[in-house]
Amino acid sequence: MSQHFDLIVIGAGMAGVAAAHKCAAAGWQVAIVDALPYGGTCALRGCDPKKILRRGAEVIDSARLMRGKGIDDTGLSINWADLMKHKHGFTNPVPASMEEGLSGSGVTTLHGLARFTAPRQLEIEGVPYDAERFLVAAGARPRPLDFPGQEHLIDSTDFLELEELPSRVLFVGGGFISFEFAHIAARAGSSPVIVDRGERPLKGFDPDLVELLVDRGGQVGVQLRHTTTIVDVRPAGGAYQVTLAHDGAQETIETDLVVHGAGRVAALADLGLDVAGVEWGKRGLRVAAHLQSTTNPAVWAAGDSADTDGMPLTPVAVSEAKVAASNMIKATTTAPDYSGIPTAVFTIPELTRVGMLESEAREQGIDLTVRYSDTSGWYSNYRIGETTAAAKILIDQSTDQIVGAHLLGPEYGELINTFGLAIKLGLTTRQLKSATAAYPTVGSDLGSML
């Protein structure tokens, strides 16, 4: 016989786990399942381990910036094996710890590939389960590529498990993954190349700041190939020959490793959603604003599994999962609030954004004023030797409210959170400037940026 639950959560990442805890706390019989170790992409294969590796790169870069200013960085280098061991010190305990926490909350933890066999039933490793509701929070996987030799590429998960970092690495795609890993690799002694088919990488970020970041990356050895496509990838004596096409001409370069950084799609193809009568696509399940499937009311979705306006970020996924759980428990139709959610590319220095791009604000006819500051000479950056930093703040003159903030600089990943809060709460620039910050801190630069 099939085991019955009030809710089965598919995906034991941060979103799925948050929803499971919330529904279990409401007294529901909840199960959660994943074919991979519990923890999801962010904790095990993405955000957290990536930023641990970035710390090594930060130390190298910080020392180089202070060369001739009191710091002798001669011989300073990254021991990749030790840095990776440090990363594993964080990631290795996560699955057991997360599963233990779920069990302690009364959640039944299951392992294996879940596949729907009916609108309210699924199988896990041949064992049937049915539920009143299902939450799909299965995350994303690398987007399929279509050039010959694509099978030779590794993905971001593989990169974060490299026992050794080769001297030459080629990254396919001009997004978060390629830029963040390339900036780490460059400080670790590798020669990274980013191949981007578009005219400008990191399209979701302010183009002026992206240009500054590209120049800063070039100074440390991150090479960017614009408007360039991969023709093919061929093994060549322990390395790879990659043929590139640009402006009607072809060129072949050699590299030791090729990394897929060309985007991700919802990981839904193996779940049997069609059998359950669930409509879905590359962007996820078709859901109403309150995250319930438009074609099967027993199914809900969050994060990368849901086709919503939310950015593909872990905090957004967790927020959606909590909203979905609350709607299921209370039988409500509350929609997630996506206002004031910041995002960051953790290059060195980091590039951040919250709210609208300048082009978007102008298209909406906002009475816009743009306050741009080259902050490279400000005290907080002079202190550490950084020579590339800038801020662009977009303000609606009719309301004195911030509609967008774009920052490139050290620690600006922290500062962008304040701008996000201001947008979410509708604070005016006058109100923000009335606050007195601890000095000298990066946060104290906020008033001057306005």
Side-chain angles (χ1 to χ4, degrees):
M1 291 183 61
S2 176
Q3 189 171 350
H4 182 78
F5 291 92
D6 295 307
L7 170 69
I8 296 178
V9 179
I10 302 173
M14 303 308 294
V17 168
H21 278 297
K22 190 174 183 71
C23 290
W28 284 16
Q29 292 296 310
V30 179
I32 189 168
V33 58
D34 206 314
L36 296 172
Y38 281 27
T41 298
C42 186
L44 299 178
R45 304 177 292 275
C47 328
D48 293 340
K50 167 201 69 186
K51 208 171 180 190
I52 289 176
L53 298 186
R54 180 188 187 252
R55 180 55 186 158
E58 287 177 296
V59 171
I60 297 295
D61 198 75
S62 296
R64 289 175 179 172
L65 290 176
M66 290 298 290
R67 185 182 297 164
K69 301 177 179 68
I71 299 298
D72 182 359
D73 65 321
T74 304
L76 186 65
S77 64
I78 289 177
N79 182 312
W80 186 263
D82 283 352
L83 184 60
M84 194 63 70
K85 182 179 178 181
H86 179 50
K87 185 219 72 167
H88 281 295
F90 173 83
T91 57
N92 287 356
V94 168
S97 175
M98 194 160 285
E99 188 164 357
E100 182 180 341
L102 286 161
S103 297
S105 296
V107 177
T108 299
T109 57
L110 305 170
H111 298 270
L113 179 64
R115 187 172 183 85
F116 281 96
T117 54
R120 292 177 182 266
Q121 189 175 67
L122 52 75
E123 281 188 357
I124 302 169
E125 304 298 317
V127 179
Y129 299 86
D130 64 83
E132 296 299 317
R133 303 162 196 84
F134 301 85
L135 175 68
V136 182
R141 61 180 53 164
R143 178 177 65 84
L145 301 174
D146 57 5
F147 52 78
Q150 54 82 26
E151 68 273 13
H152 300 302
L153 275 63
I154 69 167
D155 61 18
S156 57
T157 299
D158 300 322
F159 185 88
L160 289 169
E161 294 293 333
L162 288 175
E163 294 182 2
E164 296 181 0
L165 182 68
S167 60
R168 300 169 299 178
V169 184
L170 185 146
F171 295 91
V172 180
F176 283 72
I177 292 172
S178 293
F179 267 79
E180 291 175 339
F181 287 172
H183 271 248
I184 292 170
R187 274 76 175 198
S190 182
S191 297
V193 177
I194 299 173
V195 176
D196 183 29
R197 64 183 179 183
E199 294 185 2
R200 181 174 63 83
L202 299 170
K203 294 179 180 63
F205 291 82
D206 180 82
D208 296 327
L209 301 192
V210 169
E211 186 175 338
L212 289 175
L213 175 61
V214 169
D215 290 343
R216 175 71 161 86
Q219 294 170 14
V220 298
V222 178
Q223 183 185 155
L224 174 65
R225 300 289 190 96
H226 294 275
T227 58
T228 301
T229 57
I230 307 288
V231 177
D232 60 32
V233 177
R234 302 184 307 275
Y240 298 95
Q241 289 187 340
V242 182
T243 302
L244 309 176
H246 170 72
D247 199 21
Q250 291 191 1
E251 171 192 6
T252 298
I253 64 174
E254 190 170 280
T255 186
D256 301 306
L257 189 67
V258 187
V259 182
H260 185 328
R264 295 165 69 82
V265 295
L268 301 173
D270 299 327
L271 299 185
L273 293 170
D274 296 334
V275 176
V278 176
E279 186 178 346
W280 61 285
K282 291 182 180 179
R283 286 178 49 85
L285 271 68
R286 308 279 190 256
V287 293
H290 60 284
L291 302 169
Q292 187 175 26
S293 166
T294 57
T295 57
N296 181 345
V299 177
W300 302 66
D304 293 318
S305 295
D307 186 352
T308 70
D309 293 332
M311 292 182 289
L313 304 171
T314 298
V316 172
V318 171
S319 175
E320 287 182 343
K322 289 179 178 178
V323 169
S326 180
N327 283 333
M328 286 188 272
I329 293 167
K330 300 175 183 177
T332 51
T333 56
T334 302
D337 179 7
Y338 298 117
S339 63
I341 298 176
T343 182
V345 186
F346 286 104
T347 46
I348 303 173
E350 56 232 46
L351 174 65
T352 71
R353 168 195 175 174
V354 66
M356 299 181 194
L357 293 168
E358 185 178 347
S359 58
E360 294 170 340
R362 296 194 186 283
E363 286 171 6
Q364 291 194 19
I366 291 172
D367 183 15
L368 190 67
T369 183
V370 179
R371 298 183 181 168
Y372 181 87
S373 303
D374 178 351
T375 62
S376 60
W378 290 15
Y379 171 79
S380 54
N381 289 313
Y382 173 85
R383 181 184 71 86
I384 62 174
E386 181 57 75
T387 58
T388 300
K392 180 185 285 189
I393 314 301
L394 313 181
I395 300 166
D396 185 340
Q397 295 184 95
S398 65
T399 63
D400 191 39
Q401 292 176 332
I402 297 167
V403 296
H406 306 272
L407 311 176
L408 171 67
E411 298 184 52
Y412 284 179
E414 302 293 339
L415 186 57
I416 199 68
N417 291 326
T418 303
F419 284 106
L421 184 63
I423 290 175
K424 192 173 190 69
L425 298 182
L427 302 179
T428 65
T429 67
R430 184 182 296 273
Q431 288 173 316
L432 279 174
K433 288 186 288 188
S434 71
T436 302
Y439 183 85
T441 61
V442 173
S444 67
D445 288 344
L446 185 146
S448 298
M449 291 177 179
L450 298 171

